[in-house]
Amino acid sequence: MSAVSAAGILSPVHAPGAWSLASDGSLDWLQDAGRTLITVSDSVILVYFAVINTSYLLLILVAFGELVRRLRRASFAGYEDASASPFTPPVSLIMPAHNEAASIAEAVRAMLLLRYPVFEVVVVDDGSADGTLDALREAFDLVEVERVVPDDVPLRGAVESVHLPRGGPVPLVVARKENGGKADALNAGINLARYPLLCMVDADSILDSESLLAVAKPFCDDPMRVVATGGVVGIANGCTVVAGRVVEPRVPRELLGRIQVVEYLRAFMLGRTGWSKVGGLLVIAGAFGLFRRDMVVAVGGMDAGCIGEDAELVVRLHRYLRDQGRDYRIVFVSEPISWSEAPSTMKALAGQRRRWHRGLTEILLKHRRMIGNPRYGRIGLVSLPFYVVFELLAPVVELAGLVLVPVSVLLGAVDPDFVWRFLLVAYGYALVVSLVSLAVEEYAFHRFARSRDIWGAVVGAIAENIGYRQLTAWWRLRGMVQGLRRSEQVWESIPRTGFAETGQAGAGGGDRA
């Protein structure tokens, strides 16, 4: 279409929306073909948005049924028994850190106060340049010790030193290693971990006191089949934090934070709860995931060459266990919460979304043999194709729609009423999905006690469709291009200010980009 227009073959005529051709009329077929192509493209885009929003709504409804079932059983969860039982499997919490001096000591203190019978905290300082190790040394009176680090999974950067608290019972191990990226730091933590379960958490995260008990419960209930569990990630910006705990969840005052609250709720809680219920869970957030150590070692640990190492590990576990013909479960648990700082600037948010979509691109490329392959059951036939069509390609379709629909109206290829149908299906329907997500969360958990927080989230749901979605689509498209080109990965630390004890969480970035 654009090439034809540029050549001057098509030009507007007196009748609104009509086209005229060169005087000899020899290109009538090209006009008809162009008009048909535009009309079909617009119709495909309209159907695409209708299907994707319907899919999300169905996942939310499935999640709602699962949440209702869990709420009915909440009083019989057995956390009291699990917290005192010698049969509750011990856990190694692995916390990779890079330039986290502002908040690392508070984060570790909070982890050490978790309610769980036996656990250890393994902090891996991945070549920080801001005094992260010094902050830990001062807070916990660390001393360097001689310790052989196993090589169960390979490392890019060597472990330089291992430190323990001086003569105390504190279950803390701190390792200093050469910079190799987050995945490599996690691999170092896997090698240092002593216990059969690995909990991977971000250094800027705050866990609710019973989070570890809740996310470990599926392992206690079904120890032979459960190989991984994941928990909810919430946004800490704006929350009241006391003694390393979120005591009053709040919706941020800033519009950018409000929008992200809605995103996280829709995708990180309800979406993954739905996928878990149908046995198609592909993503466990790196901010809060629990894994069987033997399974992680069996598949070779984290992939340091993939920027989306958390989701890649889950897909690789599916692939390995399906190839082995094993009966297994990967579960999402909606009760526990890990609170993390979300990006509070557009620059930080852009880096995060490019990173996430690049990671998705790399994962789907690496495991493309699984896509559509009946050998991998609903993972190969449902989950992975869904992620290709409705996650990977979503920014392409979104941006194409923003260009094609206005152009189609200007050239008369579609009726102007089509624009309203497009806006209703693409954005009005998406708003309904977001509002349903808020209603489900409020019914199930009622985390936000103040009505102003609920209305703030509603404002965020509305504002998400006005400029925000379009920007994130552009950033995600750039991330996909980077993944397809296999350009060099650059790990940068997003500045954080830590969690304030009386109000706003810091303006940090939520992860490294």
Side-chain angles (χ1 to χ4, degrees):
M1 177 187 67
S2 59
V4 174
S5 299
I9 297 174
L10 301 178
S11 62
V13 295
H14 300 295
W19 293 351
S20 65
L21 298 177
S23 58
D24 60 1
S26 60
L27 294 179
D28 287 347
W29 65 271
L30 189 56
Q31 174 186 348
D32 294 339
R35 187 188 298 271
T36 301
L37 178 61
I38 294 173
T39 304
V40 170
S41 298
D42 287 341
S43 299
V44 168
I45 290 172
L46 188 68
V47 171
Y48 178 91
F49 279 112
V51 173
I52 190 173
N53 286 322
T54 301
S55 300
Y56 289 146
L57 185 60
L58 289 174
L59 283 173
I60 291 169
L61 294 177
V62 170
F64 178 66
E66 178 66 8
L67 291 176
V68 169
R69 185 185 69 84
R70 290 183 182 178
L71 286 173
R72 290 173 178 170
R73 300 175 58 185
S75 58
F76 307 100
Y79 293 154
E80 291 290 340
D81 294 337
S83 65
S85 173
F87 299 105
T88 301
V91 174
S92 295
L93 290 106
I94 303 175
M95 182 185 295
H98 180 71
N99 293 339
E100 306 282 356
S103 59
I104 189 65
E106 292 82 358
V108 172
R109 286 193 186 97
M111 295 297 170
L112 291 170
L113 293 174
L114 288 173
R115 187 183 178 200
Y116 201 81
V118 180
F119 69 96
E120 65 174 352
V121 177
V122 181
V123 181
V124 182
D125 179 7
D126 188 47
S128 297
D130 70 340
T132 296
L133 180 59
D134 293 334
L136 289 169
R137 183 183 289 114
E138 180 179 353
F140 298 100
D141 192 21
L142 299 179
V143 294
E144 186 174 346
V145 298
E146 293 290 334
R147 181 167 175 176
V148 177
V149 180
D151 58 355
D152 293 336
V153 295
L155 298 180
R156 285 184 171 182
V159 175
E160 298 172 334
S161 60
V162 178
H163 307 259
L164 299 175
R166 188 189 304 272
V170 180
L172 173 65
V173 179
V174 178
R176 167 80 177 186
K177 67 178 291 293
E178 297 173 352
N179 181 259
K182 182 179 178 181
D184 200 51
L186 288 169
N187 282 336
I190 293 167
N191 286 337
L192 286 163
R194 295 183 297 156
Y195 294 138
L197 295 183
L198 305 174
C199 183
M200 302 180 189
V201 295
D202 284 348
D204 68 334
S205 297
I206 292 179
L207 270 61
D208 287 347
S209 60
E210 292 190 341
S211 287
L212 202 54
L213 285 170
V215 82
K217 190 174 186 301
F219 289 94
C220 301
D221 295 341
D222 192 2
M224 299 303 295
R225 294 196 300 156
V226 175
V227 298
T229 60
V232 179
V233 178
I235 290 180
N237 304 49
C239 297
T240 301
V241 180
V242 176
R245 290 288 179 269
V246 173
V247 297
E248 186 177 2
R250 291 182 180 177
V251 172
R253 296 177 182 176
E254 298 78 14
L255 186 59
L256 191 63
R258 293 179 178 185
I259 295 172
Q260 291 177 86
V261 165
V262 177
E263 278 190 308
Y264 277 50
L265 173 63
R266 185 180 60 236
F268 288 2
M269 189 183 84
L270 297 176
R272 291 177 187 175
T273 301
W275 278 119
S276 177
K277 177 63 177 176
V278 300
L281 183 64
L282 287 184
V283 179
I284 290 177
F288 190 27
L290 191 63
F291 299 84
R292 270 178 50 179
R293 186 180 186 278
D294 62 332
M295 289 290 99
V296 175
V297 171
V299 299
M302 313 299 287
D303 183 356
C306 180
I307 207 166
E309 72 288 330
D310 46 3
E312 194 282 328
L313 174 62
V314 177
V315 177
R316 190 150 32 98
L317 284 170
H318 279 298
R319 184 172 185 169
Y320 173 80
L321 292 165
R322 288 275 181 175
D323 286 341
Q324 295 284 320
R326 301 273 291 273
D327 184 18
Y328 71 96
R329 294 174 60 212
I330 295 179
V331 182
F332 185 80
V333 185
S334 56
E335 291 92 341
I337 282 281
S338 170
W339 300 93
S340 293
E341 294 182 65
S344 58
T345 66
M346 298 298 285
K347 180 179 179 181
L349 181 65
Q352 181 194 65
R353 298 312 162 93
R354 285 196 303 269
R355 175 186 183 270
W356 285 359
H357 216 70
R358 173 175 178 161
L360 175 63
T361 304
E362 292 175 349
I363 292 166
L364 294 174
L365 282 174
K366 179 177 179 180
H367 298 285
R368 57 188 178 275
R369 185 171 67 86
M370 297 175 65
I371 300 172
N373 191 335
R375 177 187 180 91
Y376 299 100
R378 66 193 65 184
I379 299 299
L381 296 176
V382 179
S383 299
L384 284 170
F386 180 93
Y387 270 78
V388 171
V389 177
F390 296 120
E391 295 290 345
L392 180 67
L393 298 179
V396 178
V397 178
E398 177 108 17
L399 295 174
L402 292 174
V403 173
L404 285 177
V405 172
V407 169
S408 302
V409 174
L410 289 174
L411 297 178
V414 298
D415 190 293
D417 289 341
F418 176 86
V419 177
W420 295 109
R421 294 195 295 272
F422 171 78
L423 292 176
L424 284 174
V425 171
Y427 298 103
Y429 195 177
L431 175 60
V432 170
V433 172
S434 295
L435 294 177
V436 170
S437 301
L438 287 172
V440 170
E441 194 279 339
E442 180 65 12
Y443 172 82
F445 298 106
H446 194 59
R447 288 196 176 99
F448 300 113
R450 306 183 308 172
S451 60
R452 72 176 66 177
D453 289 319
I454 303 300
W455 287 112
V458 171
V459 170
I462 296 171
E464 180 185 10
N465 295 290
I466 308 172
Y468 180 89
R469 269 181 59 177
Q470 294 75 23
L471 276 174
T472 55
W474 171 245
W475 296 330
R476 292 162 67 194
L477 180 62
R478 292 178 59 189
M480 183 174 70
V481 171
Q482 290 174 352
L484 292 172
R485 294 177 60 187
R486 303 182 186 274
S487 56
E488 182 181 359
Q489 296 180 12
V490 179
W491 292 84
E492 299 175 356
S493 177
I494 297 175
R496 301 186 180 100
T497 60
F499 297 100
E501 288 292 310
T502 57
Q504 292 277 30
D511 65 30
R512 286 174 285 164

